[in-house]
Amino acid sequence: MKTTFYSLLFTALISSGMAHATQPAAPVAVQQPYTVKSPNGDRQDPFYWLRDDSRTSPTVLDYLQQENDYFAGYASKYQPLTTKLTDEIIGRIKQDDSSVPYNKGDYSYYRRFETGQEYPVYARKSLKDGTEQIMLDVNQLAQGKDFYQVANWQVSPDQNLLAYMEDTNGRRQFTLKVRDLRTGQDLPDQLTGLSGSLAWAQDNKTLYVIKNDPVTLLSTKVLQHTLGNDPASARLVYEEKDNSFYMGVGNTLDDKYVMIYSSSTVSGEMRVQDASKPQSEFTVIAPRQRDFQYTAEHLNGRWIINTDWDAPNFRLMTVETAKLGDRNNWQPLVAHDEKVFIHGFEAFDNYLAISERSDGLRRIKVMPWNAPDKAFYVASDEAAYVTTFETNPEQNTDWLRYTYTSLTTPQSVYQLNMKTGEKKLLKETEVLGGFDKNNYATERVWATAADGVKIPVSLLYKKGFKADGTAPLYQYAYGSYGSSSDPSFRSTVFSLVDRGFVYAIAHIRGGQEMGRHWYEDGKLLKKINTFTDYIAVTDYLVANKYAAKDKVFGMGGSAGGLLMGAVANMAPEKYRALVAHVPFVDVVTTMLDESIPLTTNEFDEWGNPKQKAYYDYMLSYSPYDQLSKQAYPALLVTTGLHDSQVQYFEPAKWVAKLRTLKTDNQPLLFKTNMEAGHGGKSGRFSRLAEYAQEYAFILNLLGQTE
């Protein structure tokens, strides 16, 4: 099959109604009186009716389809460009690719894709005779489904059973299934309405899963299910009473313990159980306290702990298993450093590998247990890069696996001998379509924020680029939850870079690129720093002639979509267009409603609007509330009907209101994926085709047809 087949197929998939020959009129949503009540003041929301929790209202679905038809009619003007971009983007992907295998027990495990197939195949090979066994062929499981995802899978300790979590609509409410790897058949055991995490006890028949609240979708109950028993009889082993906490379950690396994680924005707590005694009680590693976070891993009878206890950038500590329950028993291991943020660690018998961030870069430090003063860093030859841990399932080894990438270097998996320093490249992701990383350059610059703070910016462009103020700019950022936007390789963006764009990642406050303070300065009552930082980066890049002032394009998704909405209100004249994927734009109304999934978990991120100080501050930047009669940039907005993280009605209302207020003639496009959730379509080609649709929208605005 030729690549063109995929482009035609998947452009059609994401452009429902693309065959319309003429552009329909922009939809006009009716307005109905509705009062959003609050202790701190009531607000009128004439588009509140677009919220339908059942997602079955004919009126709502008809309006969303009208918007989809309008999008399709507009996009039909540049269909050849979309097709070309889809061919190009998919053409960079090695379709019959596979991950680097890792050994555990008697098998080597890996994931592979087959040519023309949307979904992965999860397989393993016997270390004795090399025989391959397909555990899950997701292509077969997904047949006949508009959306399908395997979110997690775990093999039982005896290696005979595979527990996996599936989602069939994108709402991230999973069903547990168990496959007997000896027969290839699924057992009758099924539990529904779960989060994606799971764990095994060592008896090979006891599984731990988390039941979600059916309304708020919060993870609330840890259940212990014994294979063969009625799923309705699953035993409750822990219930989370605080609705500001998320939960997860898992096993320690050595499989000796089952762990329950509870975490909020500012606090954490872990419980552990001997995996050989599934009827025993769980032990708390340290009781929760506000502003006290930690995670832990077991190693040879003791626990290694990463914590922010008296350490904003985190430090490492240790405690013996017999002394769990009181953090005062913890002993220092790696001290706090105000210039170094510790993300996590991998604990080996003879070495400790630490993932840390300094000067805005992710890097790995290796420390021998018997000679801490001889710690060393994994080296890099590039100015901006990312090193993170690969799968390291064995503790009794001198080999560390890690991933290296940069804006110009595809993801590369290395193996480092921590004893000898020997380094092996196991795989560099192959990029097809004539890609040559030597044709591109990356740069790190620093923009000055409104309050004088220096904001790091990672840039990518073709070699030979001249900063003469003529280039178009594609500027990305996220800036929330302490999530850092690392300068990692992204093959799709080369479709813009090859057409003369500068690609910029703005490492704005609200992320954690510069340490914990970077996050603290971009949340709650300092949230507006996130937006002004983004605008300051744009100003810097234009002033220093990295970009033409009339060719600046911004993109963000989810909380980054909130960023796009705020920027559109605050500085619309500085952007030719903004792309907002699944945007969180109705901040106040959502945070007032504790029945909406995730709301209560996020009071420490955004604030609780039932308190006047937070209400007033959130209202001052909420994109939906701050819309006004003014000219806006061109906008492409996307959502998923089944999104459980940012409900579809937020962007739907935002677009409907914006149509009544905008004074410009710029396109305003809104696309709802009727079969997907927060992450978009589930197939790999379908997702790539959505990038092509976005890039075609941008290039068309510049008059580019090739």
Side-chain angles (χ1 to χ4, degrees):
M1 296 182 183
K2 295 182 179 179
T3 308
T4 304
F5 168 80
Y6 298 109
S7 64
L8 293 174
L9 172 64
F10 295 113
T11 300
L13 266 175
I14 66 168
S15 305
S16 173
M18 185 66 78
H20 289 268
T22 58
Q23 172 76 23
V28 177
V30 300
Q31 300 188 40
Q32 300 178 10
Y34 185 88
T35 302
V36 179
K37 295 186 176 297
S38 162
N40 298 302
D42 296 341
R43 293 150 47 243
Q44 292 301 309
D45 185 354
F47 300 106
Y48 191 91
W49 65 270
L50 282 167
R51 174 178 176 175
D52 171 32
D53 291 346
S54 72
R55 290 158 172 77
T56 59
S57 164
T59 306
V60 171
L61 294 176
D62 179 66
Y63 171 76
L64 296 178
Q65 188 57 53
Q66 288 180 47
E67 286 285 4
N68 281 353
D69 289 343
Y70 182 71
F71 165 83
Y74 181 91
S76 67
K77 298 185 299 182
Y78 49 81
Q79 175 61 37
L81 177 58
T82 303
T83 300
K84 180 181 178 67
L85 287 165
T86 307
D87 284 349
E88 196 175 283
I89 291 171
I90 293 177
R92 294 194 190 100
I93 304 301
K94 188 175 187 296
Q95 295 196 22
D96 56 345
D97 201 9
S98 62
S99 62
V100 177
Y102 65 87
N103 297 344
K104 187 169 184 179
D106 298 323
Y107 295 91
S108 174
Y109 291 86
Y110 54 96
R111 179 194 68 181
R112 61 177 169 81
F113 284 95
E114 297 177 349
T115 301
Q117 297 296 309
E118 283 269 23
Y119 298 96
V121 173
Y122 295 104
R124 67 182 183 180
K125 284 185 179 179
S126 169
L127 295 176
K128 296 177 181 178
D129 58 20
T131 303
E132 182 184 66
Q133 179 184 24
I134 294 176
M135 300 186 297
L136 293 175
D137 184 342
V138 184
N139 298 286
Q140 293 181 1
L141 295 171
Q143 284 184 4
K145 301 178 178 67
D146 293 319
F147 182 97
Y148 189 84
Q149 180 189 22
V150 172
N152 189 14
W153 58 266
Q154 300 291 335
V155 175
S156 61
D158 65 4
Q159 307 171 99
N160 289 328
L161 301 173
L162 176 78
Y164 65 100
M165 293 289 189
E166 70 171 16
D167 177 11
T168 58
N169 67 9
R171 198 153 172 80
R172 300 187 181 181
Q173 300 307 294
F174 300 98
T175 296
L176 169 72
K177 292 190 173 182
V178 182
R179 177 159 296 187
D180 189 329
L181 295 174
R182 294 162 294 192
T183 66
Q185 301 299 310
D186 284 350
L187 304 179
D189 303 75
Q190 287 191 25
L191 280 79
T192 60
L194 309 176
S195 77
S197 61
L198 58 89
W200 282 97
Q202 289 186 356
D203 61 6
N204 303 296
K205 64 180 182 180
T206 303
L207 280 161
Y208 300 79
V209 296
I210 297 179
K211 188 76 173 177
N212 292 337
D213 183 279
V215 176
T216 66
L217 307 186
L218 294 175
S219 48
T220 56
K221 298 177 180 179
V222 178
L223 302 179
Q224 185 188 73
H225 171 64
T226 302
L227 295 179
N229 288 358
D230 182 353
S233 68
R235 184 168 75 99
L236 177 67
V237 296
Y238 177 70
E239 183 172 5
E240 179 55 66
K241 301 290 189 180
D242 189 333
N243 62 9
S244 69
F245 278 73
Y246 295 97
M247 275 203 304
V249 294
N251 292 103
T252 53
L253 194 60
D254 59 11
D255 291 325
K256 291 184 178 179
Y257 289 87
V258 176
M259 300 182 290
I260 299 175
Y261 315 86
S262 296
S263 63
S264 71
T265 303
V266 299
S267 306
E269 186 176 56
M270 288 182 64
R271 289 170 166 76
V272 297
Q273 178 196 64
D274 187 332
S276 67
K277 302 175 181 178
Q279 299 307 311
S280 63
E281 295 297 318
F282 279 81
T283 300
V284 177
I285 290 182
R288 68 182 63 174
Q289 297 182 34
R290 184 167 177 81
D291 298 317
F292 168 47
Q293 300 181 81
Y294 67 91
T295 56
E297 179 60 74
H298 182 255
L299 175 69
N300 297 330
R302 64 170 176 157
W303 295 82
I304 313 300
I305 301 164
N306 186 26
T307 180
D308 67 348
W309 178 24
D310 291 336
N313 275 342
F314 287 75
R315 59 174 168 159
L316 298 184
M317 306 187 78
T318 183
V319 64
E320 296 176 9
T321 300
K323 295 183 178 180
L324 293 180
D326 184 350
R327 72 179 186 180
N328 291 312
N329 293 326
W330 296 1
Q331 299 298 312
L333 191 60
V334 175
H336 175 257
D337 187 333
E338 63 181 15
K339 296 181 180 180
V340 177
F341 180 85
I342 297 178
H343 277 276
F345 61 89
E346 296 275 16
F348 299 89
D349 286 355
N350 297 315
Y351 297 90
L352 179 67
I354 304 169
S355 175
E356 61 180 45
R357 184 184 297 279
S358 56
D359 296 326
L361 298 176
R362 284 286 292 272
R363 55 183 185 170
I364 294 173
K365 181 167 70 174
V366 176
M367 185 186 80
W369 287 117
N370 62 0
D373 57 324
K374 293 184 179 180
F376 61 92
Y377 286 96
V378 175
S380 168
D381 296 326
E382 297 183 276
Y385 62 91
V386 187
T387 52
T388 53
F389 294 130
E390 247 297 297
T391 302
N392 288 283
E394 297 176 318
Q395 294 177 321
N396 184 25
T397 178
D398 290 337
W399 290 96
L400 167 71
R401 283 194 180 181
Y402 68 93
T403 298
Y404 178 93
T405 183
S406 74
L407 290 175
T408 60
T409 304
Q411 180 170 295
S412 305
V413 178
Y414 284 90
Q415 187 166 265
L416 172 71
N417 189 300
M418 296 178 284
K419 183 176 181 179
T420 66
E422 178 187 0
K423 184 167 70 172
K424 297 178 182 179
L425 174 62
L426 301 180
K427 177 185 178 181
E428 179 176 293
T429 299
E430 188 174 354
V431 182
L432 305 180
F435 173 80
D436 182 350
K437 64 182 178 182
N438 296 311
N439 292 335
Y440 306 94
T442 182
E443 184 181 354
R444 173 66 64 93
V445 297
W446 299 81
T448 303
D451 58 359
V453 171
K454 297 293 184 181
I455 311 296
V457 187
S458 297
L459 301 176
L460 170 69
Y461 43 75
K462 287 195 75 172
K463 284 185 177 176
F465 164 76
K466 294 181 180 179
D468 57 10
T470 64
L473 171 68
Y474 180 77
Q475 181 176 318
Y476 168 76
Y478 185 72
S480 291
Y481 300 104
S483 178
S484 299
S485 300
D486 290 313
S488 302
F489 187 83
R490 181 180 168 193
S491 67
T492 57
V493 80
F494 288 93
S495 288
L496 294 179
V497 174
D498 284 344
R499 289 170 171 82
F501 276 72
V502 172
Y503 172 47
I505 301 176
H507 304 288
I508 55 181
R509 282 174 285 185
Q512 217 155 232
E513 287 90 337
M514 301 297 289
R516 188 68 177 179
H517 76 281
W518 207 246
Y519 171 45
E520 299 291 346
D521 286 347
K523 60 183 280 200
L524 296 175
L525 299 178
K526 297 181 179 180
K527 186 63 203 172
I528 291 175
N529 284 339
T530 298
F531 317 136
T532 54
D533 282 2
Y534 187 89
I535 296 167
V537 169
T538 299
D539 290 342
Y540 172 88
L541 295 175
V542 170
N544 287 274
K545 299 188 176 181
Y546 284 97
K549 66 178 182 180
D550 60 345
K551 298 179 183 178
V552 179
F553 299 84
M555 189 276 281
S558 195
L562 161 63
L563 168 65
M564 294 297 101
V567 166
N569 288 329
M570 297 169 67
E573 74 285 355
K574 296 183 179 182
Y575 299 90
R576 179 69 183 85
L578 296 171
V579 178
H581 295 300
V582 292
F584 174 43
V585 285
D586 192 15
V587 183
V588 179
T589 301
T590 291
M591 295 303 295
L592 281 168
D593 188 346
E594 296 184 16
S595 72
I596 293 178
L598 309 187
T599 294
T600 54
N601 296 91
E602 302 195 351
F603 285 150
D604 287 317
E605 177 74 26
W606 309 102
N608 186 341
K610 294 183 179 67
Q611 301 175 25
K612 182 169 174 51
Y614 290 114
Y615 180 88
D616 292 343
Y617 188 81
M618 295 162 71
L619 196 63
S620 74
Y621 69 74
S622 171
Y624 183 62
D625 293 285
Q626 291 304 317
L627 288 172
S628 64
K629 280 193 173 296
Q630 64 175 349
Y632 280 88
L635 282 161
L636 171 61
V637 184
T638 69
T639 191
L641 181 64
H642 300 286
D643 195 335
S644 61
Q645 294 186 265
V646 178
Q647 308 290 311
Y648 79 89
F649 45 81
E650 289 200 40
K653 295 193 322 178
W654 182 49
V655 169
K657 184 177 180 180
L658 184 54
R659 291 201 186 283
T660 71
L661 293 171
K662 66 195 290 289
T663 60
D664 58 90
N665 293 316
Q666 297 296 329
L668 170 58
L669 305 180
F670 179 45
K671 173 75 170 66
T672 301
N673 189 319
M674 306 300 277
E675 294 88 30
H678 197 63
K681 286 187 174 291
S682 52
R684 57 171 175 160
F685 298 128
S686 300
R687 287 196 298 269
L688 293 174
E690 290 175 334
Y691 285 112
Q693 192 69 48
E694 175 191 332
Y695 296 167
F697 167 76
I698 290 171
L699 292 168
N700 177 70
L701 291 171
L702 294 176
Q704 294 191 32
T705 59
E706 293 291 331

